[in-house]
Each structure stands twice: as C-alpha cells, then as structure tokens.
Amino acid sequence: MTVKSYSLKINTNKSFEIIDITSQINNLIDIDEGIISIFSKHSTSAIVVNENESGLLNDLEFTLDNLIDDKFSYKHDKIDNNAKSHLKSFLLSSSESLPIKNSKLDLGTWQSVFFIELDGPRSGRTVTLTMVGE
C-alpha cells in the first residue's frame, strides 16, 4: 500500500468564488486505485462535489447568501468581521474522500470537485491531497 501527499495552492479573485479543481487533482494522482482525501486548510472555504453547470453554481451562491444574510448581527463579527464566511463553511464541508480508479478520480458523469472561496480574495489557499492505494 502506498500513501502520497500533495498540496494545491489556489489564488482567488472574488469574495465568493467556485473553482473547479478536478483536472488539477487528476494531474497529481499517481496511484492506480485507492482513495483520495481532499482537504481545505481554511475555515472560510469549502470542498464540494457537484455538477459544473453555471446556473447551479449561481444558485448555490444565491442560496447561501439568502440563508446567511446581512440583516443579522453575528457575534463573530466583533473580532473578525467574517462571520458570514465561517457560517457558510459550516453548511458546506472542508473535505471530501473520493475513489480513485485507473489513476483518475472515479466521479459520476456530471460530477466535478470544487474549491469554494467564501472570504476572498485570497492568495495561497492550501488544499491538501492525501492518496492511499496501489
């Protein structure tokens, strides 16, 4: 059994941004079969798997903005002024574990892996990839 780790560095340009990182991950996979853990090291970002369709991605931003709204007063804003970003991250996930088959992510037909920036723009966001397999 082999264990390998890599890091992706991601720069973002907007306060909310969805970046498809599927091809970057596939380019780093160097085992034939196994499992990969994809983990964002930031509490104001997320890793998700879903369809890369522009309407759906816009709907996600719209939904998060309407669930966590400026009309509320958040206690965390007293120290950091980014409570909305942290709360959105709570609703999503900081990681995904996915199968690897034939040296690629074994995703469904319409699935992609996304890094979601919730508190940008930022430079040097880190996503850790850990692969276990053969």
Side-chain angles (χ1 to χ4, degrees):
M1 180 172 314
T2 301
V3 177
K4 301 205 174 184
S5 295
Y6 298 96
S7 291
L8 291 177
K9 293 294 184 185
I10 299 172
N11 296 323
T12 62
N13 300 308
K14 300 184 257 181
S15 60
F16 181 91
E17 189 171 354
I18 301 173
I19 301 169
D20 187 334
I21 59 173
T22 309
S23 62
Q24 290 175 273
I25 295 168
N26 277 329
N27 289 337
L28 291 171
I29 292 175
D30 58 358
I31 60 173
D32 186 50
E33 286 196 39
I35 295 174
I36 187 168
S37 168
I38 306 161
F39 174 68
S40 173
K41 298 182 87 170
H42 309 280
S43 59
T44 57
S45 68
I47 300 292
V48 300
V49 174
N50 215 305
E51 183 175 349
N52 192 353
E53 190 277 315
S54 61
L56 178 62
L57 301 180
N58 288 329
D59 290 343
L60 174 61
E61 182 175 10
F62 174 82
T63 299
L64 289 172
D65 283 345
N66 282 285
L67 285 172
I68 301 168
D69 196 291
D70 282 330
K71 68 183 176 186
F72 302 111
S73 175
Y74 300 107
K75 292 179 181 178
H76 181 73
D77 283 340
K78 293 177 184 172
I79 62 166
D80 221 0
N81 202 32
N82 64 351
K84 287 183 3 180
S85 301
H86 285 281
L87 293 168
K88 289 175 184 179
S89 179
F90 267 122
L91 296 176
L92 300 172
S93 178
S94 62
S95 66
E96 290 282 349
S97 293
L98 301 171
I100 296 171
K101 188 172 185 180
N102 299 319
S103 299
K104 298 287 178 205
L105 294 170
D106 190 21
L107 296 169
T109 301
W110 304 109
Q111 290 180 318
S112 294
V113 180
F114 298 100
F115 175 85
I116 302 181
E117 175 63 72
L118 300 165
D119 194 33
R122 298 286 180 114
S123 61
R125 292 290 211 175
T126 303
V127 174
T128 301
L129 310 174
T130 305
M131 296 168 237
V132 179
E134 309 262 337

